[in-house]
Amino acid sequence: MSIFSPGFQGRPRPQSDRTPPGQYLTEDFPVLSAGPTPRVDLTRWQFSITNETGRQYSWSWPQFMSLTQERPHVDIHCVTRWSKLDTNWQGVSLDDLLETVETQAEFALVSSYGGYTTNLPLEDLTGGKAWIVHTYGGQDLDPEHGGPARLLVPHLYFWKSAKWVKGIRLLDYDEPGFWESAGYHSYGDPWREQRYQGD
Ligand SMILES: Nc1nc2c(c(=O)[nH]1)N[C@H]1C(S)=C(S)[C@@H](COP(=O)(O)O)O[C@H]1N2
Ligand SMILES: [Mo]
């Protein structure tokens, strides 16, 4: 007989030591979009990084796809409390995209086809922590999940991972994006439960 009585545990066990506080695990892949899904033709698709002096660095789809491809295997955490473990993506590291970019900027404002924006420190896009991904689970990224390509920054809440990513502006000052202007936390670390301003 077990000496542990399931009825008398002090507190619920976390579902995994990879589940941040206040999150529950899901096997689904919920779609969260603040507006309609933009359709972006690959012949017109362009991704650009603009530095603080206004200099623009751009990649067409073939140029982007010819860069070194990485396969991040990561856990993702949405501020609406679902977390999904072991997601598999393919894309290009921001380290590679930023390699030729001249900048002293500290902040980044990411923008999407469709108008969505989100901000983060430039430091959080470098050091092997962020990618522009075009494949999920071995398939082309669904338009609903951000295809043709989205940002993936899994160490922050998933609203920072802009779908249908179009460009990144590097700035000397922090400029809040769409959800950050609506009261969401400016940084959004799921392990510190930084959901809303003041958390
Ligand atoms: N362009 C754009 N990117 C976005 C969003 C959005 O509404 N528009 N929603 C964000 C939020 S709140 C989350 S949780 C994730 C959801 O990604 P998914 O729909 O692939 O699960 O995308 C983020 N990126
Ligand atoms: Mo979200």
Side-chain angles (χ1 to χ4, degrees):
M1 195 179 94
S2 167
I3 59 165
F4 298 106
S5 165
F8 288 93
Q9 288 179 349
R11 58 183 68 166
R13 281 182 304 162
Q15 295 186 65
S16 154
D17 60 7
R18 287 154 63 191
T19 318
Q23 297 291 110
Y24 66 88
L25 297 182
T26 181
E27 296 288 322
D28 301 338
F29 196 172
V31 171
L32 278 103
S33 302
T37 295
R39 304 284 158 167
V40 190
D41 195 299
L42 289 184
T43 61
R44 290 189 315 123
W45 184 90
Q46 200 183 43
F47 173 74
S48 63
I49 298 177
T50 309
N51 75 7
E52 67 275 29
T53 70
R55 181 163 169 200
Q56 201 176 60
Y57 305 73
S58 297
W59 293 264
S60 66
W61 186 260
Q63 289 169 334
F64 167 69
M65 294 301 280
S66 72
L67 301 175
T68 304
Q69 300 289 314
E70 296 189 4
R71 288 181 178 73
H73 171 108
V74 296
D75 303 338
I76 55 179
H77 312 290
C78 173
V79 73
T80 63
R81 300 188 181 271
W82 58 266
S83 288
K84 187 171 174 58
L85 304 183
D86 300 309
T87 64
N88 289 296
W89 308 81
Q90 186 182 316
V92 176
S93 170
L94 257 300
D95 291 310
D96 289 339
L97 291 160
L98 285 162
E99 197 178 320
T100 58
V101 175
E102 279 173 38
T103 186
Q104 305 291 324
E106 284 182 41
F107 300 98
L109 183 65
V110 185
S111 60
S112 298
Y113 290 95
Y116 184 86
T117 55
T118 188
N119 61 304
L120 62 178
L122 178 54
E123 202 175 47
D124 288 82
L125 290 176
T126 60
K129 298 193 290 288
W131 298 265
I132 305 289
V133 293
H134 53 79
T135 298
Y136 172 77
Q139 314 270 6
D140 288 350
L141 189 57
D142 274 348
E144 288 71 20
H145 287 297
R150 76 180 297 164
L151 182 63
L152 176 67
V153 196
H155 71 286
L156 300 177
Y157 279 125
F158 210 35
W159 89 76
K160 299 284 182 181
S161 293
K163 304 197 280 190
W164 318 295
V165 68
K166 182 171 193 274
I168 300 177
R169 279 171 61 205
L170 306 179
L171 302 169
D172 295 324
Y173 51 91
D174 196 9
E175 185 172 316
F178 178 78
W179 285 118
E180 294 85 3
S181 302
Y184 280 62
H185 199 276
S186 122
Y187 187 62
D189 179 351
W191 295 97
R192 289 189 278 166
E193 265 203 280
Q194 294 173 336
R195 298 176 192 276
Y196 307 107
Q197 269 167 42
D199 285 350

